[in-house]
Amino acid sequence: STFCPSLKMMQKMGWSAGKGLGKTNQGMSTPLMAKKTDGRSAVITNAPEGKGSLLHEEEKPRMNQMDLFNSKPTKVLMLRNMVGPGEVDEDLEDEIAEECQKYGDVVRVMIFEVTDPNYRPEEAVRIFVEFTQNDGAIKGMMDLDGRFFGGRVVHTMFFPEDRFERCELAPDKSEPPC
């Protein structure tokens, strides 16, 4: 068990994994945590659910940045788990394009929503960002993978440019789950 003062304090007040605080468990079910945004700053966010133990950000296993590369880098970056089914609004494409401009020139953003109700909700909305150069997609992957957006952890992967050009945006059996 990892030493975590906030975990001990919450357990002392009656908290147990998966249950909310309060008389009827209506409160927060996860602790707050600091998520580093760069070398000298952080934002406070809810910790992910379902881990059973609370880890400080610095105690989480560090992923080697090369592990992020699931395949040869392309100019197209796919973002998953940014929003859930039915949560896409008319401003989302523009917001993503604007956010991704800091990584490189964005050619276009396309959003594809899987309509099968049995499909995993964290993978149902697939957001594709096409950059002019591979470097933009690489920088985007390095910064966005694992980042919190609207209480969700964003998962990224490079997407084949030929499939993107043919608008074959539906899931493929060869893709790793997020």
Side-chain angles (χ1 to χ4, degrees):
S1 172
T2 304
F3 173 72
C4 180
S6 59
L7 174 62
K8 289 198 180 288
M9 186 179 355
M10 287 176 67
Q11 287 173 331
K12 199 174 194 179
M13 291 187 258
W15 177 84
S16 61
K19 294 190 177 180
L21 291 173
K23 184 176 181 180
T24 59
N25 298 327
Q26 81 283 6
M28 293 175 55
S29 61
T30 60
L32 297 176
M33 63 181 262
K35 171 125 174 92
K36 282 188 137 187
T37 56
D38 62 31
R40 297 175 11 160
S41 62
V43 294
I44 304 298
T45 182
N46 281 0
E49 291 208 32
K51 296 297 179 198
S53 68
L54 305 178
L55 299 177
H56 292 295
E57 183 70 17
E58 64 273 6
E59 294 170 338
K60 290 196 303 191
R62 292 277 176 213
M63 180 181 285
N64 178 330
Q65 293 198 341
M66 289 310 292
D67 291 342
L68 289 174
F69 295 104
N70 52 355
S71 64
K72 181 181 176 221
T74 68
K75 293 188 279 188
V76 181
L77 187 60
M78 180 173 67
L79 311 172
R80 295 182 289 182
N81 200 37
M82 227 172 162
V83 296
E87 296 176 2
V88 176
D89 64 26
E90 61 188 34
D91 298 325
L92 188 59
E93 272 186 37
D94 291 336
E95 290 170 0
I96 291 170
E98 184 178 323
E99 176 69 17
C100 288
Q101 282 291 356
K102 64 184 177 186
Y103 310 121
D105 292 330
V106 174
V107 176
R108 62 184 161 165
V109 174
M110 294 177 73
I111 300 175
F112 179 87
E113 188 168 342
V114 178
T115 56
D116 178 355
N118 298 320
Y119 200 73
R120 294 177 53 183
E122 61 273 14
E123 296 187 29
V125 178
R126 301 157 61 86
I127 301 169
F128 301 88
V129 183
E130 180 184 20
F131 293 89
T132 56
Q133 303 289 321
N134 289 8
D135 290 357
I138 293 168
K139 290 175 187 172
M141 177 179 271
M142 302 291 271
D143 192 47
L144 295 172
D145 196 82
R147 185 168 154 184
F148 282 87
F149 182 84
R152 297 170 166 270
V153 178
V154 178
H155 299 283
T156 64
M157 67 179 278
F158 296 115
F159 193 78
E161 293 172 28
D162 58 332
R163 282 186 57 201
F164 182 76
E165 289 303 320
R166 292 190 307 266
C167 289
E168 293 176 3
L169 307 179
D172 182 296
K173 290 181 184 359
S174 67
E175 293 173 11
C178 61

